[in-house]
Amino acid sequence: QTVVTQEPSLTVSPGGTVTLTCASNTGAVTSDYHPNWFQQKPGLAPRPLTYDTSHKHSWTPARFSGSLLGGKAALTLSGAQPEDEAEYYCLLFYGGAQRAFGAGTKLTVL
Amino acid sequence: EVQLVESGGALIQPGGSLRLSCTASGFSLNNYVMNWVRQAPGKGLEWVSLMFSGGGTYYPDSVKGRFTISRDDSKNTLYLHMNNLRAEDTAIYYCARDRDWSYDFWGQGTLVTVSS
């Protein structure tokens, strides 16, 4: 069974930088896993932020960036804003058409 | 404008069945991989099914044999047929489009509550 692991919670200061990571129990996350990142605020559907490791959607603020870091997928937020306080989820694509989400990271901007 | 609208959520007794719908506008469902994703109250996201444009379907072990994803191209609507429902199936169910390794558009979700 695939398990995708994220930090349960992180805190960043306004204007600061923070990196969220996403690991797989199957081994190092590579571009073959096509990592996606989503932001979710209470009561709303997930909002896509990045896909296929580092691509951004047209609506994604420039302060968000996706990458691979030390065998994990990563989402870096540079210049945190109060409105970035939310839950963040990663999604990995596995072979055999399986997909798996991480359990989410609760990001506090404080 | 791309839009996905889910419907069909309800309060259902354990062991019961339910069919959810996801109606698309602004694009044709049969040109994309389509997914159902659920979120239990206060919990994270869980992928529960997908259908390729060619009709192939896949499920995680947690719902395999109980859930069936299907599509009506004439109505541009995706379905999730859920049988033998359990309390742990209680969740908001979202449909999501998969384009080029990107879950780029999501619906607003529909709530399924399994309880006696």
Side-chain angles (χ1 to χ4, degrees):
Chain A
Q1 182 183 354
T2 54
V3 177
V4 179
T5 303
Q6 299 181 239
E7 297 87 0
S9 63
L10 291 170
T11 299
V12 62
S13 300
T17 296
V18 64
T19 298
L20 290 66
T21 67
C22 174
S24 173
N25 68 333
T26 58
V29 176
T30 67
S31 58
D32 291 339
Y33 287 79
H34 309 283
N36 279 229
W37 287 93
F38 304 90
Q39 178 192 66
Q40 189 179 35
K41 295 183 178 180
L44 298 179
R47 177 192 183 205
L49 289 176
T50 67
Y51 65 97
D52 206 8
T53 303
S54 59
H55 293 83
K56 298 181 186 183
H57 296 279
S58 59
W59 54 80
T60 304
R63 60 185 180 273
F64 290 96
S65 62
S67 66
L68 296 174
L69 194 65
K72 300 179 183 181
L75 178 71
T76 299
L77 171 58
S78 303
Q81 302 297 310
E83 61 265 31
D84 298 328
E85 187 162 294
E87 193 84 22
Y88 291 82
Y89 294 94
C90 67
L91 168 68
L92 300 179
F93 291 66
Y94 289 85
Q98 298 293 310
R99 285 96 166 88
F101 287 92
T105 295
K106 181 177 175 59
L107 182 66
T108 300
V109 180
L110 190 62
Chain B
E1 179 193 6
V2 171
Q3 198 170 14
L4 294 167
V5 179
E6 301 94 337
S7 60
L11 171 63
I12 189 88
Q13 291 190 338
S17 298
L18 197 62
R19 187 186 78 169
L20 305 182
S21 301
C22 168
T23 301
S25 56
F27 72 102
S28 295
L29 281 178
N30 58 11
N31 287 334
Y32 294 86
V33 180
M34 294 299 301
N35 299 261
W36 286 98
V37 176
R38 70 183 178 184
Q39 187 170 35
K43 302 296 184 183
L45 302 171
E46 180 186 13
W47 169 73
V48 293
S49 65
L50 73 78
M51 174 176 272
F52 284 104
S53 56
T57 59
Y58 292 86
Y59 309 89
D61 290 343
S62 59
V63 306
K64 196 176 295 182
R66 299 190 300 122
F67 288 12
T68 303
I69 188 173
S70 66
R71 191 178 71 206
D72 185 332
D73 293 341
S74 69
K75 296 181 179 179
N76 210 27
T77 298
L78 184 75
Y79 300 103
L80 184 67
H81 307 259
M82 304 184 293
N83 295 321
N84 191 21
L85 283 162
R86 308 165 180 167
E88 55 264 35
D89 297 318
T90 294
I92 296 172
Y93 285 73
Y94 299 98
C95 61
R97 188 179 82 168
D98 177 352
R99 176 185 181 186
D100 297 335
W101 309 110
S102 165
Y103 278 38
D104 63 349
F105 282 96
W106 295 59
Q108 84 291 346
T110 188
L111 177 62
V112 174
T113 303
V114 184
S115 175
S116 54

